[in-house]
Amino acid sequence: MLIPILQDRLRSAVVAALPDADLSRVLIRPCTNPAHGDYETTSLMALAKERRMNPRQLAADVLARLDVQDLCEDIQISGAGFLNFRLNLAALQRAIQGAARGEHLFLTPASRPRTVVIDFSSPNVAKPLHVGHIRSTFLGDCLARIFRKLGHRVVTDNHIGDWGTQFGMLLLGWKTTLRRDALAADPFLEMERLYKEVNQRCKDEPGLRDQARAELVKLQSGDPENLAIWREMQKLSQAQFDSVYARLGVSFDVTLGESFYNPQLPGVVKELTRLGLARESDGAMAIFSDGSCPPKEDPFLVQKEGEWQPNPFLVQKSDGGFNYATTDLATLEYRLKTWAPDEILYVTGAPQQLHFRQLFATFRRWHPDTRCRLEHVWFGSILGEDGKPFKTRSGETVKLTELLEEAEERAAKIVAAKNPDLPAAEQQDIARRIGMGAIKYADLLPNRQSDYVFSWEKLLALNGNTAPYLQYAYTRTRSLQRKGAELGDLSAVTGTFVLAAPEELALVRHLINFGFTLESVIADYRPNFLCNYLYELAGRFSKFWENCPVLKAEDPAVRASRAALCEVTGRVLGEGLGLLGIETLDRM
Ligand code: ARG
C-alpha cells in the first residue's frame, strides 16, 4: 500500500541521479530491524557496486533528490549505504483512515496481472485422498486465492491420475472378484481390495501378471468393455473426491486427468525424436544430457561410484507404452496453447523433484522460445509424533476424511467444555470450523520444504501460533462490533484518526504491511509468510486490547479511532484467514 508509493518516489529519485539505472531492481521492504525505521532499501548498494561508485555517496545523491516529506520523517543513510524510512504520523493516519472507510485493505492490485496455472491436489483414481495429498491441496488452494486477491488470472487444474499401469490389475480384479454390494458401500475400500488382492496373487501365479497386462493393453486400444469399467471407476472416485473438496471448501476451474492427454502422446514422442531430443536406449525412447550445464546442475546426469552417469528421462517404454513423463510433456503443451500462462506451478511432494527438473529441462530444449515460468512448488512430509511418516496405529496411510472427522470430534470436545450452553447445532458448526482450520493452518505454517510433526495438542491449542488462536482474536474484534451495534456505529471516525498510544501505533504499522506480505507469499510460493504475519497481528492486537480501552475511552474521538482500529484489524484477520482457506466465527 505505502510501499508501492515510496518505491515510486525512490525510483524517480534514482532515475534523476542515474538516468540509465534498471528501476525494476530498486525495491523497498520492511526494515529487518525495526529499530532502524519502518522501511529500508538496500538496492542502492547493488547499483553503486555495478558502477564502482561509493555507495554512501550514491545514497546521499539519491536522498538529495528524494521527495517524501508528506510520508516520512527524516531519512537516514546507514551502514554501507542503506536508506531507512520512518513513516510520519500523518501518513499512518491517512492509511488507517482509508482502510476504515473501506477504500482499501492495504493492498494494491497488480498493475500487470499475470496468468498462472496451478496444478495441485491431483489424486489418483481408485485410491482415496491420503495425507500425502493434504499439503498439495491446502498449499495449491491457498496460493490460488492469494494470486486472485492480488488481481492475477488463475486457472486451477486438478491433474487426476486416471491412466496408467495400475488399471491392468484393477480391471482383472474387477472382472474376477468384484463385490457389487461392497463397491456401493465404500467404493475406495473395494477398489483397494481388488488391487491389493490381484497384486498379491500375481506374486504366486506368474501367468496372472500377463493377464493383467493384457487387460491394460485392451483398455489402451479402446476395448468397449474395459473402457466402460474404467469409466465407472473414474466416476466413483471423482464423486468421493468431490465430497472431500466440498467439505474443504476447495474448487478447481478444470479437472483434466492424465487420460485427457492420451491421444497426444504418440505425437509428442515422434516430435521429440524428429528434433533429435529423444533417442533409443535399450528399446525405450529417452532424453539424455546435452552437456549444456555443469554436471552438478544437470538433471540428466547422476553421480554413481564417483562418476557422472546418464540419468535419462524416459518418454516411451520398451513395450511401446507411454508414461508419467510423456503425459506431463503433453499437458504442458496443452496448457501453454490453451491459457498462454506466464507461470505454471506444480504442487507435489519432494520425491518428485527430479521428475520436474527433467520435465522442465526437456521442455526448454523442445520449446526454447517459451517465456513461461515453470515452478515445482515442492513440500516435505507429515510425520507422526515418533518422527516417522504419519501412519494410523495399524500402520496404514492416514486417509484425509478420517483426519477431518477426528479434528472435528476433538474440537467439539473443547467447544462443549468451554461453551456448554450454546445450542448443539451451533457447537457443531463451531467445532467444524475450528477443526478444519486447525488442520489447514498446521499444514501451512511450517516452511513448506521442511517435514513437520503432526500433533493434535499443538494444532488445537488456543494459545500459540494456531488457527484457533487467530480465530479467537477475530472473535474479539467482532464482540466489539456487537456492542457497537447497540451503541450506534462506533467506528465512524469523522475528524482526524487519533493514534497516540504505542500499542495503537505498533498495530497500524503492522496492518499496513498486509499487501506486502501477500506479495511475498506469491513471489516465493510460501503461505507461511501470511501465517506468521497474522500471528504477529493477533499479538499486537492483543497488546492493544489490553492497554487501550475502547468503550471506556472518555474522549469520543479516541473511542471512535480505537473502535475503527478493531474493525480494520478484524477485516485483515478475516481476509487473511480466508486466504488461507480458513473460516472465521463470530464467537467461540
Ligand atoms: N497424481 C500424482 C500423485 O499423486 C500427482 C500429479 C501432479 N501433477 C503433474 N502434472 N504431474 O503423485
Side-chain angles (χ1 to χ4, degrees), residues 119 122-124 133 159-161 258 324 328 335 346 348 352 355-356:
D119 172 326
S122 308
N124 303 311
H133 294 113
H159 189 74
I160 308 250
E258 294 179 17
Y324 192 51
D328 258 330
R335 287 174 177 162
Y346 296 82
T348 71
Q352 296 197 34
H355 168 76
F356 285 107

Side-chain angles (χ1 to χ4, degrees), residues 91-146:
L92 291 171
Q93 284 168 323
R94 275 196 305 273
I96 183 73
Q97 195 140 9
R101 287 201 201 105
E103 289 161 13
H104 61 76
L105 202 56
F106 311 107
L107 41 94
T108 334
S111 51
R112 269 181 295 154
R114 306 200 293 273
T115 298
V116 187
V117 174
I118 310 182
D119 172 326
F120 71 98
S121 196
S122 308
N124 303 311
V125 161
K127 284 193 217 146
L129 279 152
H130 56 75
V131 292
H133 294 113
I134 288 191
R135 296 196 91 174
S136 175
T137 308
F138 294 166
L139 276 166
D141 178 55
C142 172
L143 291 173
R145 289 172 192 262
I146 297 179

Side-chain angles (χ1 to χ4, degrees), residues 117 155 157 159 254 256-257 260-261 264 268 327-341 344 346 363 366-367:
V117 174
V155 181
D157 186 356
H159 189 74
V254 292
L256 297 174
F260 176 77
Y261 303 97
Q264 266 62 59
V268 167
T327 308
D328 258 330
L329 284 165
T331 307
L332 196 35
E333 265 210 315
Y334 176 86
R335 287 174 177 162
L336 286 166
K337 220 171 50 209
T338 311
W339 299 297
I344 306 179
Y346 296 82
F363 195 79
W366 184 13
H367 292 281

Side-chain angles (χ1 to χ4, degrees), residues 45-46 92 154 224 252 378 385 406 414 419 429 454 458 475 499 511 552:
M45 294 187 296
L92 291 171
V154 175
F252 298 89
W378 60 271
E385 297 204 63
E406 185 162 352
I414 300 176
N419 270 317
D429 180 55
F454 189 93
K458 245 199 206 154
T475 61
L499 290 179
L511 281 168
K552 295 205 177 96

Side-chain angles (χ1 to χ4, degrees), residues 369-566:
D369 298 330
T370 305
R371 286 278 153 273
C372 182
R373 177 172 175 183
L374 303 172
E375 205 66 50
H376 181 206
V377 180
W378 60 271
F379 50 82
S381 323
I382 308 181
L383 305 176
E385 297 204 63
D386 56 1
K388 299 205 179 101
F390 192 39
K391 293 267 161 72
T392 62
R393 241 171 258 124
S394 57
E396 306 263 327
T397 55
V398 180
K399 290 171 187 154
L400 186 48
T401 42
E402 287 164 6
L403 202 68
L404 296 177
E405 303 289 333
E406 185 162 352
E408 281 177 29
E409 276 164 30
R410 284 176 183 259
K413 284 200 193 114
I414 300 176
V415 177
K418 289 227 183 271
N419 270 317
D421 304 330
L422 282 182
E426 191 174 345
Q427 279 192 24
Q428 207 182 346
D429 180 55
I430 295 176
R432 185 185 61 75
R433 291 174 198 235
I434 293 180
M436 183 91 67
I439 292 221
K440 286 193 182 180
Y441 193 82
D443 202 73
L444 294 169
L445 173 65
N447 168 351
R448 66 177 157 81
Q449 288 168 340
S450 41
D451 297 344
Y452 78 90
V453 173
F454 189 93
S455 150
W456 286 113
E457 281 69 42
K458 245 199 206 154
L459 64 91
L460 282 166
L462 278 171
N463 282 315
N465 196 349
T466 64
Y469 170 73
L470 296 176
Q471 286 168 321
Y472 180 66
Y474 177 82
T475 61
R476 279 179 156 181
T477 69
R478 303 309 297 165
S479 71
L480 190 75
Q481 271 313 306
R482 275 199 299 278
K483 288 188 193 128
E486 294 153 25
L487 301 168
D489 187 3
L490 278 172
S491 57
V493 182
T494 42
T496 309
F497 217 102
V498 183
L499 290 179
E503 293 85 4
E504 293 168 335
L505 288 160
L507 182 56
V508 173
R509 286 199 152 91
H510 193 63
L511 281 168
I512 55 179
N513 288 337
F514 184 46
F516 175 82
T517 305
L518 300 182
E519 304 280 355
S520 328
V521 170
I522 62 165
D524 258 344
Y525 317 115
R526 292 189 192 280
N528 56 313
F529 295 162
L530 176 56
C531 297
N532 286 320
Y533 170 86
L534 294 174
Y535 181 59
E536 173 76 25
L537 178 61
R540 291 191 188 205
F541 177 69
S542 162
K543 292 217 178 78
F544 158 80
W545 187 258
E546 282 151 27
N547 294 298
C548 303
V550 181
L551 296 177
K552 295 205 177 96
E554 269 161 39
D555 181 344
V558 172
R559 193 187 317 141
S561 297
R562 289 183 179 169
L565 255 179
C566 286

Side-chain angles (χ1 to χ4, degrees), residues 220 262 265-267 269 315-317 319-327:
Q220 288 169 339
N262 204 33
L265 306 186
V269 176
V315 291
Q316 188 167 22
K317 292 182 277 185
D319 67 4
F322 303 104
N323 52 18
Y324 192 51
T326 336
T327 308

Side-chain angles (χ1 to χ4, degrees), residues 76-287:
Q76 306 291 333
I77 301 176
S78 76
F82 285 78
L83 284 184
N84 291 326
F85 303 78
R86 193 178 294 282
L87 294 172
N88 63 30
L89 183 62
L92 291 171
Q93 284 168 323
R94 275 196 305 273
I96 183 73
Q97 195 140 9
R101 287 201 201 105
E103 289 161 13
H104 61 76
L105 202 56
F106 311 107
L107 41 94
T108 334
S111 51
R112 269 181 295 154
R114 306 200 293 273
T115 298
V116 187
V117 174
I118 310 182
D119 172 326
F120 71 98
S121 196
S122 308
N124 303 311
V125 161
K127 284 193 217 146
L129 279 152
H130 56 75
V131 292
H133 294 113
I134 288 191
R135 296 196 91 174
S136 175
T137 308
F138 294 166
L139 276 166
D141 178 55
C142 172
L143 291 173
R145 289 172 192 262
I146 297 179
F147 269 106
R148 285 204 173 104
K149 185 79 214 167
L150 292 173
H152 299 287
R153 194 164 85 94
V154 175
V155 181
T156 50
D157 186 356
N158 195 358
H159 189 74
I160 308 250
D162 61 359
W163 200 249
T165 45
Q166 74 271 30
F167 286 100
M169 306 255 184
L170 281 163
L171 282 162
L172 186 59
W174 188 284
K175 287 183 176 178
T176 50
T177 66
L178 178 70
R179 287 198 221 115
R180 275 280 166 192
D181 52 338
L183 188 71
D186 188 339
F188 280 140
L189 199 65
E190 177 62 0
M191 288 191 278
E192 270 187 308
R193 186 190 66 81
L194 294 180
Y195 181 82
K196 280 190 192 151
E197 212 170 279
V198 177
N199 199 23
Q200 186 54 44
R201 278 174 53 210
C202 276
K203 292 194 179 122
D204 317 322
E205 306 168 45
L208 221 55
R209 202 170 280 281
D210 294 330
Q211 274 186 48
R213 204 166 291 138
E215 293 296 348
L216 181 68
V217 172
K218 270 169 76 183
L219 172 71
Q220 288 169 339
S221 52
D223 174 72
E225 187 192 1
N226 282 10
L227 270 178
I229 298 176
W230 169 73
R231 280 207 190 94
E232 194 174 344
M233 292 195 245
Q234 213 182 8
K235 222 173 100 200
L236 287 167
S237 306
Q238 190 63 50
Q240 303 281 311
F241 298 148
D242 286 343
S243 81
V244 177
Y245 294 138
R247 192 164 171 189
L248 293 175
V250 170
S251 62
F252 298 89
D253 299 308
V254 292
T255 296
L256 297 174
E258 294 179 17
S259 65
F260 176 77
Y261 303 97
N262 204 33
Q264 266 62 59
L265 306 186
V268 167
V269 176
K270 218 185 206 166
E271 184 64 9
L272 291 172
T273 314
R274 187 183 69 80
L275 293 169
L277 289 171
R279 62 180 162 83
E280 206 239 83
S281 161
D282 294 329
M285 295 301 288
I287 323 277

